[in-house]
Structures are given as structure tokens and as C-alpha cells.
Amino acid sequence: MNTAWVGARSSATPAHLEALARAIRNTPIIDNHAHPLLKLEALSKHPLLSITSEAHNGDAVHSAIHSLPHLRAVRQLSELLKCNNTWEAVVAAIEQKRIDFPLEWTAQCLEGIETLLLDDGLDNEDDAQDMVWHNDYTRTECKRIVRVEKVAADIIKKIGKTYDASPKTGNDVLNDAYDDWIAAFDTIINEAIDDPDVVAFKSVICYRTGLDITSTVNEVEARSAFAEIIANFALLDFTKLQENTLNDLVVHRTAMLIRDCPSKLKKPIQFHTGLGDNDITLSKSSPAHLQDFIRAYPTVPIVLLHAGYPFMREVGYLASVYEHVYADIGEVFPCISEDGQEQVLRQILELCPWSKILWSTDGHWFPETYLLAVTQMREVFTTVLSNYVRKGHIGYKAAIELVRDMLFRNSNKLYHLDIEFVELDEEPGAEIGPYASDLELFQYYLKDHPAPDFVRICWNDYTALPRMRMVPFRKFMSLFDQDKPTDISIPTAVFGLIQNDRLVPTIAPTGEYRLHPDFSSLRPGPTEGHVSMYGEFREKNGAPVALCPRSLLQKAVDLGAENGLSFLLGFEIEFLLLERVEGAESSATISLNSLNPFKHRPSASEASGRFSTLTTDGHAWSVSRYFADPKVSKLLRDMVHALDSMGIYVEQLHAESATGQFELVLPPYPPIQAVDTLLHTRDVMFALATAAGYKITLHPKPFSTACGTASHTHMSISSPTIGDKPETYEPFYAGILKHLRAITAFTYSNPASFERLKDGAWAGGRWVTWGTQNRETPLRKIEGSHWEFKAMDGLANPYFAMAAVLLSGIHGFMDGEKLTWGDCEIDPAKLTENDRAELGVKEMLPASVEEALTALRGDEEFVEFLGREVVERYCDVKEFEMEFLEGMGEEERREWVMERY
């Protein structure tokens, strides 16, 4: 049955979120844009109040006390300094630190910073510490950023003074002075390009004349503007270059010198954009003005500083569409509110790849600016990224990589620093063991949960039978203590067994795989004192095992990612609840008579088996009265509560059509997490039902005259910007329909599956087609890329089933398959031949396991991308299983399936 597609809930356990928070806390920071600190004796010359404001003097800076950034800074500093939560108390405490422990306080404020890239071109340079001084407070030596406007202005000052002291001889002297200026500027820039202590250049043209840089500079105008400055130098009190043409010339000249230098490792130019003091003209501070300049120098790396605030989306756009453009998100920490900072991060990540995003403090003058920037960044990163992980927008492991890239790796690469990545809580040079991250995840899990008795490592075999190995907790922890791997040995015959452990005759019981637990799947349960993880099979040398179902699904996920596709899957668990009959003679069978939904509920003496159907009491789809039974109601409630405590948040729960049949709906997750969660949820439900005196079965057709039991799957393409576009999802679903007959071998994997496969029974029908909100088609379109796959039941190995579905869809997208099937609006079984021809409905689903396996072997394209070795082994196992099941009578086979599924 269908349910509304409810938005994704948490796909992460508390351990995952703690691992992410730890990465945010302990990733060292390459501060890609900062300024020197003031000398101790100069600190009193400048207002401390400016640490959260771009207003640096006058009434404007004093009004900062009424701003959200200021109030937040007071709260954070007062907590750290252990003083009253007032600005006056904070100032007094900081001044005391300067007197008692100035070096220690500075070190505390710069804690966590790997290195500083320092723009030393601020005013009051005589009051500032030199670059080398800062090395005492960072793990790696600091580097320099050359501010090009200051270089140009300093040369003009020297030339102007020389001109004033010499006899004036007219335009020739001024022209020569211009040439000298250009030559001196070129020399200094070229020396900086060659200087290993210089890693970048910085332009503040945004402050001077704006970012609307002309595409070309008229040399006649430049010479004239330069001559005007030099000729009137004594009268101008020249300090800064404020002339449009000359500022444009300086920036172009710098870019050309970088472009033309012989080194392949080009040093970037950083541009101040957006947020700044009142020297800027706001309308000219948008990085959008730089687009022509960016296009003109495609080999020169360009960094857009300060998130361009308030033009964040412009920054994200430019960094996303130009290979050589990077987005910096500094200065907004701590100069805007917490909500604003979260919005900055979200807006940059809306479009911009995180491989193009850098972070900086823009720290200057006061060490507290560094402290507040780092503290607030970590708060905001934790809030925003944890939320994305909870919603399933990004996996926790990818989020950790995002953090490391933005705070360290991207700058390390862009500025050619070659610094080794070492987490802050590791001593320099210490190796991070291959299982350290697994240990950390397990330790974080144990912070919020009691130590278990057993650790389960689980897998799903070729017959969809859930299997596992249990390791006592003490033994499991000893593996970490002794620095031993946590994987375990499993015979290679594991993928040749059927349900009763008989081995396919062509497979030898020799050889060994290693089952590696995936700690990202760690959850409590399914019974008290147990924790569970799902594992991946690898060879002894660590290579993936081609036959591993979970690895095959990972292969599909990886192929999707390579093609810009990501997915969400949400499973519906339909199940039949049976009640234990105490005192029954047989302990091994389930009576078919007792499962007749039209008979009364048998007593213990009447039931020939140990389970019987529940009292019907008018049971039907979505009826409410069934939940009046306190025992049933309590069991279902306990299931939801137990799952909730494990971070699995049930979306809906309702009665299904057959007597004792219910449906529990899981939230959507990324594919691997979705299947892991499905299997764990089933184990939890089975365990609770058994403890309460019930049994759950997933048999696809428990009653011949009632609706069957399925495992419908909601799927959507969650790729941002493209997922809901028809040109993305139509080829994807066309690929699934193209290979649906072969896919059926994995999704309808048992003879009982085909007992459910009927027309007119809300089971997805027997025809290869699709329809909008049509529950009689195997693919039901709901909205956009959100479709429901109905041709699957609980006897399928969901790793195999979803791998087959996704790989078919991905290849359809890659090949641009056309959705040649029309939108079927009625039960396809009721279509006329002409209707079917018009809608492209030509094929029926296989009618048996044998026919499905034949279709699988006959689909060469499908076999190729799924893997020939997997297909051959799967067919061998299923054929051996069918041979075994054929020796049973109908009732015996039904009971046999119900006992195991």
C-alpha cells in the first residue's frame, strides 16, 4: 500500500553526529586571510569594541553594543574569562590578561590555527608585529600575502619625494617617472612570485575605486593620471592610490605577471569583496563586477574574500562556474549574527562545491578576533552540517571530509603549502591508525549507551536470509586495545548456501573472506544487550569481494555519484502478525487452515500448528478498531518506541487489508543506510513480536484470497538542482523499465513471490509499464523524481534488489534512454491491444522464478553492468534452492517459508 512521502528524518546515529562535531573541533585551520596582531604597547590605541564591527571609530563603533554580534561576543568571552556577562567586565578581564599572561592569552586565542596567511598591508603597520613573531602561536610557519595597492602607493611616495627634490624639466621627466614606477612595481611583484614566504597577492580595489574594473587600461590616461599625482605630490598629502585608471592598472599588471610567470604553480590574487568599513562603495563591492576580469585571466587563481557579504550567492556562483575562482567565507565570523552566519554557510553551499570553499578569520590587531572567529565558526558548522546529515542531504563521513577540505585541504592545495594534515588532538607526526575512526565511533556510541553484551556483525545472503556473527563485547574491545582489526573470517561458501545450509554442488567449501563491520551502521539492538553493524566482505588483501551484495549496492551508489546522481530510498514494511498457540502439539508447523482469513480464530486445541491468525474483528485496510486490542496495540507501540530510541523514526503505521496484516513506513535514507535500516528494523520487529508471544512473517501471499505482503520502495533522485528535472528522472526510470524483467529475478526471488503477482490486487500488476498514482503498475509516479517501486517483496535481498534497480536507472540516465512507455492511467490488464500499443506496453513480468532467471541471463547489457560473476552465482544458488523447494508440497513449502521469513 502507498503512503505519503514524508521528508527525510535523521539518517545518522548520535555516534555519527558526534564524530562530525569532533572533526569540526579538531580539524586544524589554515587561516587563508588574516592580519598581524598589534604590539602589546599599541593595543590601547585602538578600540577593542571594533572586534565585532567594521565601524572602527566614532559613534558608529560605539553603537555596536546594541548589535547581536556584540552580545554574542560578550557572552562567549565572559564564559571563557569567567567574568560577569557585561562588556565592561569582559574589557577588564582582557586587560588583566594582557598584564598577567599576555603570551599565554594570545596562544589561547590562536589555538587550533595551523598557520596564518598574513596580509601585512593594513594601516598602522609600525604598531603591528612582524610575520615571524606570529610563528610562536601556530604549528606551521606563517606566510605572507602582498597587498598590491600598497606596493604601488609606496613606490609612488618614493618617486614623488624624488620629483619634489629635483629640478622640474617637464613631461619627459614625468613619463620617465611613470616608466620607473611600472618597472619598480613589476620587480617587486616578480620577486614576490619567486619568494617562498609569499603565497598570494591581495587587492583592496574594492575600497579604492570599486570592483567594476575596466577590461583594458588606456595607457595615455594612466600616464596622465600618474603625472597629475607626481606633479602635485607636495600638495596632495598622498597616502593611498585613489585614481580609477591607476588602480585598474595595478590589478591588471599583477594578474599579467602571475599569468606570464614560468611556474605552473600560480599564486592567487585575493580580492576584498562585500563587507568592509565605510571606505567602500557598497554598490561596487559585489563580486559580480569581477566577471569580465575573471574571464580575462583563466590561469590566475582568484579568491573572493569575506563571502562577498551580503552578496553570498554571487560568490558561490562565480566559484562554481569558473575553475580558477574560490570562495572565502571569513570576516562574517564574528561580524554578523549567528543566524546570519548560518545563512552564509547555507547559501554558499547551495551551489558552490566545497572543494572551492576556503575559510579565514580576517583576524586583525586583537587576538580576540581570532578567538571569536574560530569559536563561532565551529558552532555554526556544527549546527548547519549536523542538520544536513540528519536530513540525509549528506552522509556524516562526507560531512567530515567537507570540514577538512574547507578548513585545511583546499587552502593547503591552493597556496601550495604542502603541510601534513594532523588532527589537533594528535601530536605532530603521530600516525592515525587504520581503525582509529572506527574506535572513535564506537567510543562515542558508548558515551550515550550502556556497554552491550554482544556485538553483532550482520549480512544478508543470496537467499535473503539474515545472518550474523556475535562477538562478546569484552573480546571486541580487546581487539581495539591490542590494535587488531575487527573483521572476522567467513568461509567463501557463504555465497553458495541456501536456507538449510546446503551448499551449491559446484562450490567448494574452501577459502576465506573477511567480513568488515561498517561502523557507520552501528545501532543498538535488535534485542537488549546487543548492538548491530552490517558488514562488507573483502578478500584477505582488503580488495572488495565482487559477490558481496552490500558492495554491489555501494558500486551503484558510487556510479551514481560519478554521474552527479544521489538517491533517497524509503521502504514500506508490510508484515503479517500471528499469535502463538500455547500447548499446540506441533512445534514446527503453521497450519494453513488456521491462516484462512475467513475462518474464526481457532482455539489451541483446534490449531494443528503453533501459530494462528489473529481474530479478524472486521480487519481491513486502515481500520482503527484493530488497535483496540491492548496486546496488539502495545506490541506495535513498543516497536515504534524501540526504533525511535535507535534513531529510526517511523513515518506511519496502519492496518493493511488481510487479517493481522500491518504496514510500518520507514523514512527515506541514502541507499546503503536505507537497506541497513530496513534489515535492522525487521530484526527489531521480529524480536519484539517473539518476546510478546507473536510471530511476524513476510510471506508474500499468506492468504490466497486476500492482498499480499510486499516491500514497496519509494525512491527519489536527491541531487540538488537536477533531481526533479524530467530530463534527469525520465531516462533513469526508462532504464529501470528497460531491464525490469531481469530485475525481477532479484525482487521476486521465491515461488511464493509469484503467488502475489496478480492483476487487480494493488500489487503492481504483471505488465512492464508505469503510471501516475497508478497502484497497478510496477512503477508508480508520485511527483517529480519521487516514484514508488512496487515489484518487490520481503523475500528479496534488498542490497541486490536496490543495486539492480539503481544500476539500471543510472545506465538509463547515462545512455539517455527515452521513456517510450506512456503514462498508464488504468489497470494495464484492462487495456485493449490498441491501448497497449499506443502506450508502448509490450512485455509482461516473468511468471515464475525460472522465467525470471531466464530473463536475467538473457539481458546481456544488464549482466555486464551488474557483473557476470554475481549473476552466475545468483542463478546457481536460486536454481539449487528451487530444486530443493520442488520436493515439498504446497502446504509444507508455505510453512517452510513462513518459518524463515
Side-chain angles (χ1 to χ4, degrees):
M1 294 295 191
N2 127 60
T3 181
W5 182 252
V6 182
R9 292 283 192 93
S10 172
S11 60
T13 65
H16 298 161
L17 297 176
E18 178 55 29
L20 172 58
R22 181 189 178 281
I24 294 169
R25 291 193 304 269
N26 293 331
T27 295
I29 297 165
I30 294 178
D31 189 348
N32 97 107
H33 182 80
H35 305 278
L37 294 174
L38 292 172
K39 296 172 182 175
L40 191 60
E41 62 271 19
L43 286 168
S44 60
K45 297 180 183 179
H46 304 275
L48 184 62
L49 199 54
S50 66
I51 60 175
T52 60
S53 174
E54 275 295 330
H56 291 165
N57 50 57
D59 291 338
V61 71
H62 292 294
S63 67
I65 62 173
H66 302 295
S67 69
L68 293 178
H70 173 83
L71 296 177
R72 185 180 179 205
V74 170
R75 174 177 56 79
Q76 292 172 329
L77 289 170
S78 64
E79 289 174 357
L80 182 63
L81 294 163
K82 295 180 172 55
C83 66
N84 290 335
N85 186 24
T86 67
W87 178 242
E88 292 75 16
V90 167
V91 171
I94 289 175
E95 288 177 349
Q96 196 62 46
K97 287 283 189 183
R98 293 174 183 173
I99 295 169
D100 296 337
F101 311 104
L103 302 183
E104 292 84 352
W105 175 241
T106 299
Q108 186 175 355
C109 288
L110 270 66
E111 187 175 358
I113 295 178
E114 177 74 34
T115 189
L116 300 170
L117 310 187
L118 293 167
D119 166 17
D120 53 10
L122 280 179
D123 297 336
N124 308 298
E125 60 181 308
D126 292 339
D127 289 341
Q129 303 283 5
D130 62 27
M131 183 182 73
V132 175
W133 179 89
H134 294 79
N135 290 340
D136 290 341
Y137 303 98
T138 58
R139 296 202 301 185
T140 305
E141 287 186 355
C142 301
K143 299 294 183 181
R144 182 171 172 239
I145 299 169
V146 172
R147 185 179 288 202
V148 296
E149 286 83 3
K150 186 176 186 301
V151 171
D154 286 347
I155 300 170
I156 288 176
K157 290 176 186 176
K158 292 179 183 179
I159 292 175
K161 291 175 182 177
T162 302
Y163 184 87
D164 277 347
S166 65
K168 313 296 189 293
T169 57
N171 289 337
D172 288 342
V173 170
L174 293 174
N175 280 328
D176 290 343
Y178 175 88
D179 293 334
D180 291 343
W181 176 58
I182 295 295
F185 181 83
D186 287 1
T187 298
I188 293 173
I189 299 301
N190 281 323
E191 288 175 351
I193 289 172
D194 294 333
D195 186 348
D197 286 332
V198 173
V199 294
F201 299 89
K202 159 81 176 292
S203 172
V204 291
I205 194 171
C206 182
Y207 278 104
R208 302 293 179 259
T209 54
L211 295 176
D212 53 340
I213 303 169
T214 57
S215 57
T216 58
V217 177
N218 186 305
E219 184 161 334
V220 173
E221 291 179 5
R223 287 182 179 274
S224 175
F226 181 86
E228 181 74 13
I229 293 172
I230 299 301
N232 298 284
F233 189 81
L235 302 175
L236 290 176
D237 190 23
F238 179 87
T239 56
K240 299 176 180 177
L241 193 60
Q242 303 283 15
E243 206 285 330
N244 289 45
T245 304
L246 297 182
N247 272 299
D248 291 356
L249 174 65
V250 166
V251 175
H252 276 291
R253 196 82 190 170
T254 303
M256 287 189 289
L257 292 171
I258 296 171
R259 178 195 65 193
D260 298 335
C261 76
S263 173
K264 293 182 179 179
L265 305 179
K266 307 297 185 185
K267 294 182 177 180
I269 303 177
Q270 299 180 344
F271 281 89
H272 180 106
T273 66
L275 183 64
D277 61 38
N278 59 13
D279 277 355
I280 68 169
T281 300
L282 187 61
S283 62
K284 293 186 176 184
S285 68
S286 167
H289 291 296
L290 286 171
Q291 193 164 12
D292 287 342
F293 183 87
I294 288 168
R295 290 169 175 161
Y297 300 99
T299 62
V300 177
I302 292 172
V303 178
L304 306 175
L305 294 172
H306 314 321
Y309 183 90
F311 309 104
M312 291 84 74
R313 287 189 168 103
E314 286 87 335
V315 169
Y317 168 78
L318 292 169
S320 70
V321 298
Y322 294 103
E323 182 181 1
H324 61 301
V325 176
Y326 296 80
D328 163 76
I329 52 171
E331 193 181 17
V332 292
F333 306 89
C335 287
I336 68 174
S337 72
E338 186 173 6
D339 286 346
Q341 292 166 358
E342 292 175 9
Q343 190 70 5
V344 167
L345 183 56
R346 290 190 184 100
Q347 288 193 7
I348 289 291
L349 288 172
E350 281 176 357
L351 181 62
C352 187
W354 70 71
S355 59
K356 305 291 292 297
I357 304 174
L358 317 172
W359 190 80
S360 68
T361 62
D362 195 44
H364 59 281
W365 293 352
F366 303 103
E368 293 80 11
T369 58
Y370 290 85
L371 171 66
L372 289 172
V374 171
T375 300
Q376 294 182 11
M377 175 273 293
R378 286 180 173 147
E379 286 183 354
V380 167
F381 272 42
T382 301
T383 299
V384 172
L385 298 180
S386 295
N387 192 39
Y388 284 158
V389 171
R390 287 189 192 97
K391 291 181 176 179
H393 293 181
I394 185 173
Y396 85 97
K397 289 184 178 179
I400 289 173
E401 295 306 301
L402 178 153
V403 170
R404 291 171 174 170
D405 285 348
M406 288 173 60
L407 298 184
F408 187 96
R409 293 175 182 152
N410 294 343
S411 288
N412 198 32
K413 181 179 179 181
L414 177 64
Y415 298 105
H416 318 300
L417 301 176
D418 295 324
I419 303 172
E420 182 182 0
F421 179 90
V422 179
E423 280 198 337
L424 293 173
D425 59 345
E426 297 286 340
E427 290 298 322
E431 287 189 11
I432 299 176
Y435 301 96
S437 60
D438 290 344
L439 174 59
E440 289 164 3
L441 281 172
F442 205 55
Q443 288 173 331
Y444 287 131
Y445 171 85
L446 293 174
K447 286 182 180 180
D448 298 319
H449 300 85
D453 300 314
F454 295 99
V455 177
R456 295 184 178 207
I457 307 174
C458 312
W459 71 95
N460 208 243
D461 73 8
Y462 273 47
T463 65
L465 201 65
R467 297 181 185 261
M468 60 96 175
R469 289 285 183 90
M470 289 201 311
V471 182
F473 174 71
R474 186 182 297 276
K475 172 61 178 178
F476 197 76
M477 290 305 296
S478 74
L479 297 175
F480 287 125
D481 295 338
Q482 298 167 26
D483 197 26
K484 292 182 178 179
T486 55
D487 55 285
I488 56 178
S489 173
I490 302 290
T492 57
V494 65
F495 295 137
L497 297 173
I498 61 173
Q499 294 92 332
N500 60 356
D501 296 335
R502 292 179 61 186
L503 184 63
V504 173
T506 57
I507 298 173
T510 59
E512 174 192 55
Y513 291 141
R514 304 299 299 183
L515 179 61
H516 289 254
D518 180 353
F519 282 74
S520 71
S521 65
L522 178 66
R523 292 190 189 273
T527 59
E528 185 177 359
H530 291 209
V531 296
S532 299
M533 291 179 281
Y534 287 88
E536 293 180 353
F537 287 88
R538 299 179 193 167
E539 304 288 358
K540 293 179 70 174
N541 64 4
V545 171
L547 295 174
C548 174
R550 196 171 188 267
S551 298
L552 185 65
L553 180 55
Q554 185 62 57
K555 171 186 171 182
V557 171
D558 293 342
L559 182 64
E562 290 171 11
N563 288 276
L565 300 179
S566 56
F567 308 96
L568 288 175
L569 305 178
F571 290 101
E572 299 174 356
I573 303 177
E574 294 181 358
F575 62 97
L576 183 71
L577 190 61
L578 304 171
E579 190 167 10
R580 186 184 302 275
V581 179
E582 296 182 3
E585 294 178 4
S586 171
S587 61
T589 62
I590 301 169
S591 170
L592 280 178
N593 289 331
S594 71
L595 294 180
N596 185 340
F598 299 106
K599 283 178 67 73
H600 68 283
R601 179 177 180 270
S603 66
S605 60
E606 290 176 300
S608 61
R610 58 189 172 124
F611 296 103
S612 66
T613 185
L614 303 182
T615 304
T616 61
D617 200 20
H619 188 108
W621 174 74
S622 292
V623 296
S624 60
R625 69 181 62 177
Y626 215 97
F627 293 85
D629 183 333
K631 290 175 60 181
V632 173
S633 182
K634 182 180 183 302
L635 173 58
L636 298 176
R637 181 196 66 193
D638 289 348
M639 287 178 182
V640 173
H641 285 181
L643 293 169
D644 193 84
S645 72
M646 300 170 186
I648 301 171
Y649 303 109
V650 173
E651 300 274 309
Q652 291 186 34
L653 177 63
H654 61 86
E656 272 293 353
S657 183
T659 301
Q661 190 182 50
F662 298 90
E663 179 181 293
L664 184 146
V665 181
L666 293 175
Y669 298 105
I672 294 288
Q673 291 167 305
V675 175
D676 289 346
T677 302
L678 169 67
L679 294 174
H680 189 70
T681 299
R682 286 177 180 170
D683 278 347
V684 171
M685 294 166 63
F686 275 62
L688 289 172
T690 299
Y694 294 91
K695 174 178 174 58
I696 284 176
T697 180
L698 304 175
H699 192 292
K701 195 69 173 176
F703 308 124
S704 60
T705 55
C707 287
T709 302
S711 184
H712 299 159
T713 308
H714 288 254
M715 55 177 49
S716 63
I717 302 173
S718 57
S719 309
T721 71
I722 67 167
D724 266 343
K725 293 184 176 179
E727 55 266 35
T728 301
Y729 67 75
E730 287 187 358
F732 177 83
Y733 288 110
I736 294 173
L737 289 169
K738 178 180 179 180
H739 299 291
L740 187 54
R741 283 177 53 80
I743 291 171
T744 303
F746 293 100
T747 60
Y748 287 153
S749 63
N750 190 282
S753 302
F754 294 90
E755 296 173 19
R756 172 183 164 270
L757 185 57
K758 307 290 184 184
D759 290 322
W762 288 29
R766 297 184 301 150
W767 292 89
V768 177
T769 187
W770 69 277
T772 301
Q773 296 296 3
N774 190 341
R775 290 165 175 79
E776 292 296 347
T777 56
L779 272 177
R780 173 172 74 101
K781 181 179 180 180
I782 298 171
E783 183 178 10
S785 72
H786 174 201
W787 293 37
E788 181 187 20
F789 183 81
K790 298 179 69 68
M792 177 175 164
D793 59 40
L795 274 56
N797 179 315
Y799 294 115
F800 272 149
M802 290 300 99
V805 168
L806 291 181
L807 284 170
S808 297
I810 294 164
H811 279 272
F813 172 78
M814 293 167 59
D815 297 338
E817 290 288 347
K818 300 297 182 184
L819 193 61
T820 56
W821 298 262
D823 188 350
C824 184
E825 298 177 349
I826 65 171
D827 183 344
K830 297 179 179 179
L831 294 172
T832 66
E833 288 189 13
N834 288 338
D835 291 337
R836 290 196 185 102
E838 186 177 340
L839 292 172
V841 180
K842 303 174 183 178
E843 295 181 303
M844 297 185 74
L845 295 177
S848 65
V849 172
E850 292 78 8
E851 187 181 341
L853 294 177
T854 299
L856 170 59
R857 284 192 170 110
D859 192 336
E860 278 297 322
E861 182 183 359
F862 183 79
V863 170
E864 271 312 303
F865 61 66
L866 201 68
R868 192 167 297 279
E869 184 180 2
V870 170
V871 170
E872 289 176 357
R873 175 62 61 87
Y874 183 79
C875 290
D876 287 346
V877 171
K878 298 310 292 185
E879 287 170 346
F880 187 58
E881 180 189 0
M882 292 307 101
E883 181 183 333
F884 171 73
L885 292 176
E886 284 172 0
M888 300 180 183
E890 182 180 352
E891 181 172 346
E892 182 186 2
R893 184 166 62 244
R894 183 184 297 265
E895 293 170 354
W896 194 85
V897 170
M898 284 187 171
E899 287 171 353
R900 288 160 176 78
Y901 302 96

